[in-house]
Every structure is written in C-alpha cells, then in structure tokens.
Amino acid sequence: MKKKQFKTESQKLLDMMIHSIYTHKEIFLRELISNASDAIDKRHFRSLTDSTLGLDKDAYEIRLRVDREARTLTVSDNGCGMTQEDMEQNLGTIAKSGSFDFKKEHGANEEVDIIGQFGVGFYSAFMVADTITVTSRPLGASSAFIWESSGADGYTVTDGERDEVGTDIVLHIKDDTDDETYGEFLEEYRLRSLVKKYSDYIRYPIRMAVSHRKPKEGAEGEYETVIEDETLNSRIPLWKRSASEVTKEEYDRFYTDKFMDYEAPLKVITQTSEGTATYTALLFLPSHAPFNYYTKDYEKGLELYSSGVLIMDKCADLLPDYFGFVKGLVDSSDLSLNISREMLQHDRQLKVMAKAIEKKIKNELLKLLASDREAYETFFRAFGLQLKYGLYSDYGMHKDVLEDLVMFPSSKEKKLVTLKEYVEGCKEEQTSIYYAAGETVEKIELLPQVEAVREKGYEVLYLTDDVDEFALKMLSKYMDHDFKNVTADALDLSTEEEKQAVAEENKNADALLACMKEALGDAVSAVRFTASLKKRPACLSTEGEVSAEMEKVLNKMPGAEGAAVKASMILEINREHRIAEVLKQLYPAQEDKVKAYAKILYAQARLIGGMSIEDPGELSELITDLMV
Ligand code: ADP
C-alpha cells in the first residue's frame, strides 16, 4: 500500500515535536484524553440540533484498555468520531487542529468548552508509541476508517469496522531501553495516577477495567480475582462548584492533600472572573511559612489548568514575588493551550489574569486585616518579611499594593500597627512618622533618642528586620507623612527657644567640642551639646542618608567587605546632664582628661545604640585609670 506523506513543510517538524516540545513523556495521555473529551463535547453539541446523533448523557465515556501481551494501550471514546477526510486533515496535518476550527465556527460557549487548539497533542503519543492505529466511526456513518502510522515516514488510511460511533486510539508502546521504561504506561497504577494528576477534572468519566482481589462469596477465607470497572477521575473540580456549596473541611482537605501541608490554610480565596480573561482561581493563604520559604529552594507559582486539564504545575508568572507564599490554582477556558513555557510567558491573557489575581490577593488581605486581626497578625508573622522585601524591591514600584499591608511593632501598646493606624493616631501638628531601628524591641526602647521622642508624646515604630528601614526609605512618604529616624541628627523636636539656646551654647563651647572631636578622630564628624536628651549623658546621631542600623545591615551583606559603608555620626552630649558641666570645668586646664572622657562617652553611646565597641582594650584602660 502506498503511504501518504504528512502535510508539513518538513517531516523534521514531527521529529522536533516528539523530542522537544514536551519535557515529560507522560503527558501524551493527557493529550489523548483531552482529545477524547473534546470529541464527546462535539457530539453533544451536534445533538443539540439533531437529537438522533446524541447519546444519553450518562452514556458518554472515555475508556482506557491495556493489553500487556500485545503491548498496547487503547484510549477510546464515544464522541463524534472522524471521517476519512477528518483523518487526512487533522491527523495527517501536523499543527492543524480540527478543534480550533470547530471553535472558530461555533464560538466558545458553555456547550463547547473545547481544550485542543494547537493540533500537536495527538503526535505526543509518538513519544511512547512506535505505531499508532486510530479506528474511528464518524457520526452518521455506518462504517469506520483506520488510520495508521509509525511516525515520520507517513500514514495509511484504510476502511474498517466499528460497532458504534466513536474512536479507538491504539498505541503500540515502545520497547523499554536502558534509559526509558515505556512499559510503565501499561501498568494500571501508573495510568490511574496519571489520570489523577492531569485529567482528574475531565467532565466525562474515564474508565478502566481493573482487577481486584476480593473475598469469595460463600467461601470463607478464600479470595477471587474480579474485574471491575473503575472511574479514575473525580470529574467535577472543587473550584467549579459554587464556593457556598463547598464546606470548609472540603477546602481544607483539598489544600492539605494537594499542597502537602499538615496545617489547614489560614484563608481560602476564590475568584471567578469573566471579561477580559475568563478564569476561576482557588487560592490559599498558608497558616505558616514552609520550612524552605525564605531560601532559594522555594518555588512560587500556581497550578495552571486549561478547562480542567493541568497544563503547568507551578506557573510562576501568575504570582508576583511578594505574594509568592500564596498556593492554589487557576483554571481558564480561554488560555491558548500552550505548547511551551516560553510562549506562555508572553501570553496576554496570562498577564491580565496575573494582574487581577494580584489585586484580589491584596483586597482579601486588607479584608482579613479589617475583620480578623488575630489571623492577619498570624499571617504577617509568617510572611510579613516577604511583603517588606516587596516594598523595597524594584525601587519601590509596588508600594501601592503593599504599603497598607505592612505592620511594625510600635511604642504605644507594644503591638503591631499598620502605617495607617499610626497616622490616624498622630498628634494634630505631627507631619512625620517616627521610627527607630535595632536588633530587638527591647534594645530599641533603650535608645536615648527613643526615650526623648516618646516623652514628647509621639509614637515610635520599632524596626527590627534588616529590610525595614530600606523599605520605608523606598516609600518616602505615607499619607503625606514623611519618615524620620529618631536617631537622625536632623530630627529636632525642641522649641525654637531651646534650639537657639543650644546653638549659643555650642558656639561658646566650640574649643571644648573641637578638642573632644580631635580625641575621637574619624569616628565622628562632630561633637555637640543637645537639648533633646532627658536622662542619658550622650548619644550618637547620624547625619545624611545612612543610619547606624543601615550601616550594620549593608556591611554584613555578602560582598560588602572592603567597600565598607559608614554612617556619619555625631556625638551628642546632654546639656542638662552633670557631665556637661564637668566637661566645661575641665577644659582647657585638663585637656587630657577631656579627651579620655570623650572616648568613654563615645563608647557608652555606641553600646546604648546597639553597636559594638571598636577598641575594648583602650576603653577598659580608660575606665580603670578613673577608678584607681
Ligand atoms: P488539538 O487537540 O490541539 O486540536 P491534536 O493533534 O491533538 O490537536 O488533534 C488534531 C485533531 O484531530 C483534533 O483537533 C480533532 O479534530 C481530531 N481528533 C483527535 N483525536 C480525536 C478523537 N478522539 N475524536 C475525534 N477527533 C479527534
């Protein structure tokens, strides 16, 4: 019999397809099952206008059959079947999709929810089969046609028989090689798990005759092997049911099974969208961070389904990094079912969906914040760091999404507060949001400047994560309030009078202050008196953009060695403290003593500010000298 040639520019296309488009051989089954489901859809659709063409709704099925001796796997359906012409057109032309044409003709709607579009899925079967035989009897015909091919060298179409309308696709599975065990596709358990993984939500039953060992009736202790039909797929996806019909237990079990978490999710988010992109999303907020969350091993992403068929395990493009903790899936009927990840990345629909999903997550988080504070704080303790990194990343580009979601511990009630809550609790004339950074809340509270600002009645945010201050710098303003580090030299809450008095005092004491500065060398850029300290003798303030805390963070980053960042520090002496008086008395007569005191005060200020002492030996000597 003369073989007909595949209608493509080059037969190499088939080879390329088989070897490069799909990374997992196992997806061939998904493709064949999706085609079968499409074929049943088409038959059902045709029967809407001609009822003699259809079957009873419950009679539609997709069936898998294994013959291990013959090494064949058959996928059958009682869908619309194919005419000889269909076979030539659709199976004989690579990249020609009958389903796509059908959809173009009839439009996409509830009745035609068709999966296939690219016209390459069928050929994926050549990844596991050396010969494929398709027997199909089309609607309205009494006989069948047999299409057969062993790959790139072409195909034959001959006359055949089939009892009913529908299609059998018989794959002759390749022999096992050293690297590949094709034989696994002849194992019941393997087929069952593939159906579960990829085709669980195909709406028609996918059946297979499965053998079971069962206790023999009437014969105690004896067993017999019975063959029973098993439906392998669960058919109706949880997310296709209306959210009000699904119980919390069902959602929880779905989440824990699917995402392998031992704890129920903190929140379930469902979204159904029609319009620019039609999709259903089922999302979960985990109640704790996975152990590898803050490592590079963690992979963000949502499962992506096209009309109930899994096409990607972790579609990273559906989630921005700062919402990378969200688990779940998206099912869309109008995604151009894809042949590669690269193409998917540029898909416009996908971008539209990602945008809408991001907005939804944000709104749900805000709702949670408003309605269940405790749950939100649990969430924030697990993933707040991620949100703050999000604020900082991309030059603060995502602040509109994130600024209302972040929280910081505050001086007022030692609780987490949002920026909005802070601003709403501000004094009337207050135009800044005050913060201080340090290792722990306790250490920050000890900062002399914090004490001073609190004493004036202002609330102070305590920043304990490395990224915090950088994130606020990116924000630059929130509700018209700028951010002020209370240890910044520029922060001066004293009255005009006080300021003038201090300026005068500093001028009068400039020789003394210069002497102290000389003792400290490059460690500080200046020494001066201040009116803003209450109890403590001295503190360090910083000038310019880099705070002491930022200096610490930047210098511990990998690669920072050698290019050390320095905050510009000013040693401030409390003008109301006894030490101020003592210093003035000692100068100029006892310059050496003044210099020693300057060093001790500087060291103390560093300790109180949570910094380490640069020369502990020298400090120890200075103090001992004083004691003896
Ligand atoms: P796609 O599914 O992307 O359209 P395929 O290569 O998988 O591409 O299939 C090509 C075409 O062959 C389908 O669009 C359909 O018209 C036809 N076809 C494939 N399998 C069947 C089937 N089981 N029953 C009827 N038609 C089928």
Side-chain angles (χ1 to χ4, degrees):
M1 190 184 332
K2 189 177 174 307
K3 280 198 174 159
K4 302 191 182 185
Q5 297 299 301
F6 285 111
K7 292 183 200 161
T8 53
E9 287 297 318
S10 154
Q11 287 167 351
K12 279 195 186 131
L13 182 59
L14 180 60
D15 244 23
M16 184 196 83
M17 231 285 317
I18 296 171
H19 295 113
S20 61
I21 290 187
Y22 297 107
T23 35
H24 302 294
K25 297 198 161 32
E26 62 188 32
I27 59 85
F28 81 91
L29 189 64
R30 170 190 84 178
E31 297 294 328
L32 296 185
I33 289 175
S34 293
N35 282 350
S37 169
D38 285 354
I40 300 176
D41 276 344
K42 287 178 207 166
R43 181 170 184 179
H44 173 64
F45 182 74
R46 298 263 299 271
S47 75
L48 295 178
T49 46
D50 181 351
S51 61
T52 62
L53 297 178
L55 288 179
D56 196 48
K57 234 183 154 73
D58 298 327
Y60 289 118
E61 69 164 19
I62 297 162
R63 185 167 281 278
L64 307 184
R65 265 190 216 92
V66 170
D67 182 338
R68 255 190 265 175
E69 253 138 67
R71 252 188 118 72
T72 58
L73 166 64
T74 305
V75 181
S76 302
D77 66 73
N78 47 13
C80 63
M82 280 176 274
T83 61
Q84 180 169 14
E85 202 196 334
D86 287 339
M87 284 179 160
E88 303 254 358
Q89 284 284 320
N90 298 328
L91 306 182
T93 313
I94 294 172
K96 156 100 186 169
S97 165
S99 293
F100 184 72
D101 294 346
F102 185 90
K103 210 163 164 178
K104 267 213 314 231
E105 217 172 292
H106 300 282
N109 61 40
E110 246 313 283
E111 301 300 337
V112 231
D113 192 0
I114 280 172
I115 305 157
Q117 310 198 346
F118 272 93
V120 290
F122 173 77
Y123 294 94
S124 64
F126 280 115
M127 294 192 293
V128 301
D130 44 33
T131 304
I132 303 178
T133 312
V134 181
T135 306
S136 192
R137 175 170 152 187
L139 279 177
S142 55
S143 61
F145 298 98
I146 302 172
W147 180 99
E148 190 165 88
S149 170
S150 303
D153 63 339
Y155 63 91
T156 58
V157 180
T158 50
D159 290 337
E161 291 299 323
R162 198 181 189 274
D163 288 346
E164 311 272 345
V165 169
T167 305
D168 304 304
I169 311 232
V170 184
L171 310 183
H172 185 265
I173 301 293
K174 291 181 186 175
D175 287 331
D176 291 355
T177 64
D178 289 344
D179 309 324
E180 300 283 352
T181 49
Y182 297 103
E184 66 186 88
F185 300 118
L186 297 166
E187 303 291 342
E188 277 170 11
Y189 76 92
R190 182 76 171 116
L191 296 171
R192 186 189 289 124
S193 80
L194 286 179
V195 169
K196 268 275 168 234
K197 178 168 179 191
Y198 293 109
S199 313
D200 200 31
Y201 308 114
I202 290 287
R203 65 177 114 177
Y204 305 106
I206 303 166
R207 299 206 173 101
M208 180 165 65
V210 178
S211 48
H212 292 287
R213 294 264 294 155
K214 277 196 154 180
K216 199 169 176 176
E217 233 173 277
E220 194 132 341
E222 280 183 49
Y223 284 82
E224 61 181 344
T225 303
V226 289
I227 310 260
E228 275 178 322
D229 251 7
E230 194 181 314
T231 300
L232 308 177
N233 55 333
S234 36
R235 304 181 58 188
I236 301 189
L238 193 71
W239 60 91
K240 285 276 163 112
R241 289 161 55 191
S242 125
S244 59
E245 280 171 21
V246 184
T247 63
K248 181 180 176 320
E249 286 67 35
E250 282 179 290
Y251 277 133
D252 288 356
R253 188 151 30 84
F254 180 83
Y255 168 81
T256 49
D257 285 355
K258 204 174 188 66
F259 300 106
M260 286 179 275
D261 195 347
Y262 52 88
E263 231 177 294
L266 196 64
K267 191 175 170 60
V268 180
I269 301 170
T270 55
Q271 185 185 31
T272 308
S273 160
E274 266 142 47
T276 19
T278 307
Y279 68 90
T280 304
L282 174 57
L283 311 174
F284 301 92
L285 280 189
S287 46
H288 61 114
F291 72 95
N292 66 349
Y293 186 67
Y294 289 104
T295 73
K296 64 179 184 338
D297 291 338
Y298 181 83
E299 252 185 282
K300 63 159 185 168
L302 299 176
E303 282 189 356
L304 186 59
Y305 288 81
S306 169
S307 302
V309 181
L310 180 68
I311 55 174
M312 202 189 276
D313 259 345
K314 275 203 172 132
C315 183
D317 297 323
L318 282 170
L319 282 180
D321 284 344
Y322 42 87
F323 289 155
F325 45 80
V326 174
K327 301 269 185 199
L329 57 92
V330 173
D331 189 353
S332 171
S333 57
D334 61 4
L335 244 195
S336 22
L337 181 79
N338 247 289
I339 52 172
S340 77
R341 272 164 201 260
E342 288 65 39
M343 277 179 67
L344 203 54
Q345 267 169 12
H346 303 295
D347 193 279
R348 207 182 58 84
Q349 295 288 2
L350 198 74
K351 292 207 170 86
V352 173
M353 291 197 289
K355 224 37 252 138
I357 287 168
E358 167 180 333
K359 200 163 150 200
K360 176 76 178 173
I361 297 172
K362 176 195 165 180
N363 290 340
E364 289 294 323
L365 286 173
L366 286 174
K367 262 202 248 165
L368 187 68
L369 174 65
S371 65
D372 188 346
R373 181 76 175 203
E374 203 182 315
Y376 190 82
E377 288 189 14
T378 304
F379 155 76
F380 194 79
R381 283 197 186 89
F383 302 112
L385 191 57
Q386 177 76 73
L387 299 183
K388 293 186 287 190
Y389 276 119
L391 261 187
Y392 171 66
S393 64
D394 301 327
Y395 306 98
M397 218 167 83
H398 317 290
K399 65 179 176 194
D400 290 346
V401 183
L402 298 170
E403 63 185 0
D404 288 318
L405 296 175
V406 295
M407 299 178 118
F408 299 95
S410 112
S411 60
K412 229 179 216 166
E413 293 176 64
K414 309 274 154 27
K415 282 193 327 195
L416 287 169
V417 299
T418 62
L419 296 175
K420 190 150 179 245
E421 286 161 349
Y422 181 100
V423 170
E424 283 166 358
C426 271
K427 291 181 161 200
E428 210 166 311
E429 75 286 357
Q430 189 178 344
T431 56
S432 298
I433 295 173
Y434 298 117
Y435 69 86
E439 228 170 289
T440 62
V441 166
E442 292 71 28
K443 284 193 184 172
I444 299 173
E445 285 210 304
L446 292 175
L447 292 173
Q449 295 99 325
V450 170
E451 275 175 354
V453 174
R454 287 181 67 190
E455 202 139 316
K456 290 212 149 61
Y458 296 108
E459 182 173 9
V460 181
L461 297 179
Y462 295 158
L463 314 189
T464 54
D465 281 322
D466 285 355
V467 70
D468 289 352
E469 198 171 0
F470 296 89
L472 293 188
K473 284 239 179 299
M474 280 299 172
L475 265 185
S476 96
K477 264 185 185 240
Y478 179 82
M479 282 170 82
D480 285 335
H481 287 59
D482 59 1
F483 292 94
K484 287 224 167 100
N485 188 331
V486 300
T487 65
D489 169 58
L491 181 81
D492 193 347
L493 298 174
S494 39
T495 62
E496 275 314 308
E497 268 166 50
E498 282 171 325
K499 277 184 203 161
Q500 258 187 3
V502 177
E504 191 106 334
E505 183 165 357
N506 280 325
K507 218 165 109 200
N508 294 339
D510 63 349
L512 161 67
L513 297 171
C515 167
M516 293 175 77
K517 153 82 180 107
E518 197 194 317
L520 297 173
D522 286 341
V524 297
S525 55
V527 180
R528 54 171 94 115
F529 288 109
T530 177
S532 56
L533 287 180
K534 287 289 160 256
K535 297 193 292 259
R536 311 264 174 207
C539 71
L540 282 168
S541 299
T542 49
E543 259 181 333
E545 280 302 300
V546 185
S547 72
E549 202 52 32
M550 288 167 80
E551 174 189 304
K552 259 200 272 177
V553 174
L554 290 171
N555 289 333
K556 77 181 177 203
M557 294 209 299
E561 306 85 4
V565 177
K566 281 217 92 35
S568 168
M569 310 252 201
I570 294 168
L571 178 63
E572 295 196 292
I573 314 288
N574 185 351
R575 69 187 279 242
E576 263 136 63
H577 199 282
R578 268 266 300 148
I579 191 69
E581 230 172 279
V582 171
L583 286 167
K584 284 180 203 158
Q585 281 165 8
L586 291 176
Y587 190 83
Q590 292 183 269
E591 214 173 282
D592 286 349
K593 220 168 199 177
V594 168
K595 286 187 171 167
Y597 285 12
K599 286 181 177 170
I600 295 172
L601 285 168
Y602 170 71
Q604 285 177 348
R606 281 189 72 86
L607 283 176
I608 296 174
M611 289 166 264
S612 59
I613 303 286
E614 285 150 334
D615 190 346
E618 187 189 25
L619 177 69
S620 161
E621 263 167 45
L622 288 168
I623 295 176
T624 331
D625 280 351
L626 280 179
M627 294 194 289
V628 298

